Amino acid sequence: MKKIDIKILDCRIGDHFPLPTYATIGSAGLDLRACINDTVVLAPGKTTLIPTGLAIHIKDATLAAVILPRSGLGHKYGIVLGNLVGLIDSDYHGPLMVSVWNRGHDFVTLKPGDRIAQIVFLPVIQAEFNLVVSFDTSERGERGFGHSGLQ
Ligand SMILES: O=c1ccn([C@H]2C[C@H](O)[C@@H](COP(=O)(O)OP(=O)(O)OP(=O)(O)O)O2)c(=O)[nH]1
Ligand SMILES: [Mg+2]
């Protein structure tokens, strides 16, 4: 298991709210909690930035983290992310924030400590561009955007 430096920015973490942990042996994501003082009521269509009370510093440029919606919240309540996916750079060590978007049709209440999103650590390859005037031939070539049909 890879060690990632984490800082607690809100003293309720580790006390009232547990540090993020994998729910099962096979979990890919760690749930992030809304580290808010009061309930937040999010009107349909609105987006708000919610602190997690945590900061991480990945440090290793071959890794990044992504913040993803929780399936249940997204599917049942329309609670997804204002940025669709949050990307956490390996050299970022500021507060971990979650942009919460109510894309549903009903008001949604977020309570302090609610698990609002999940974070996943992923390998990253940094690419260096090799400037060319023509590409090698390939099976697909320039065909894309549904060229192969539906069935
Ligand atoms: O959901 C998110 C997305 C990003 N970040 C932090 C970590 C990330 O490393 C930094 C910058 O994110 P990004 O590069 O996606 O945003 P930007 O709009 O390009 O900002 P910048 O100009 O600071 O790179 O913001 C979060 O805390 N939560
Ligand atoms: Mg950026």
Side-chain angles (χ1 to χ4, degrees):
M1 191 101 60
K2 177 81 180 175
K3 294 273 187 202
I4 301 287
D5 287 353
I6 191 164
K7 248 181 10 187
I8 292 175
L9 305 179
D10 185 305
C11 60
R12 289 172 297 174
I13 307 265
D15 182 12
H16 284 68
F17 315 140
L19 270 175
T21 49
Y22 292 106
T24 64
I25 291 171
S27 293
L30 302 131
D31 285 347
L32 297 172
R33 292 174 186 270
C35 218
I36 45 182
N37 294 326
D38 301 300
T39 58
V40 170
V41 178
L42 206 53
K46 294 293 179 194
T47 303
T48 189
L49 206 53
I50 301 280
T52 63
L54 295 169
I56 58 168
H57 189 189
I58 299 172
K59 292 197 283 195
D60 178 349
T62 69
L63 293 176
V66 287
I67 298 179
L68 300 173
R70 293 185 65 207
S71 309
L73 287 182
H75 184 67
K76 291 185 201 153
Y77 306 107
I79 291 295
V80 291
L81 303 177
N83 46 357
L84 304 187
V85 174
L87 176 63
I88 312 302
D89 298 286
S90 69
D91 54 356
Y92 178 76
H93 55 61
L96 214 49
M97 305 293 288
V98 178
S99 171
V100 178
W101 172 30
N102 180 1
R103 63 155 185 80
H105 301 291
D106 299 313
F107 282 79
V108 170
T109 301
L110 304 175
K111 295 193 299 301
D114 278 357
R115 288 178 288 130
I116 50 170
Q118 57 188 326
I119 187 166
V120 176
F121 291 91
L122 296 171
V124 165
I125 294 170
Q126 288 184 328
E128 192 178 5
F129 290 116
N130 180 37
L131 201 56
V132 297
V133 279
S134 62
F135 292 123
D136 296 343
T137 54
S138 72
E139 189 181 341
R140 175 179 287 276
E142 296 185 1
R143 296 172 303 178
F145 294 91
H147 180 271
S148 62
L150 284 179
Q151 295 195 331

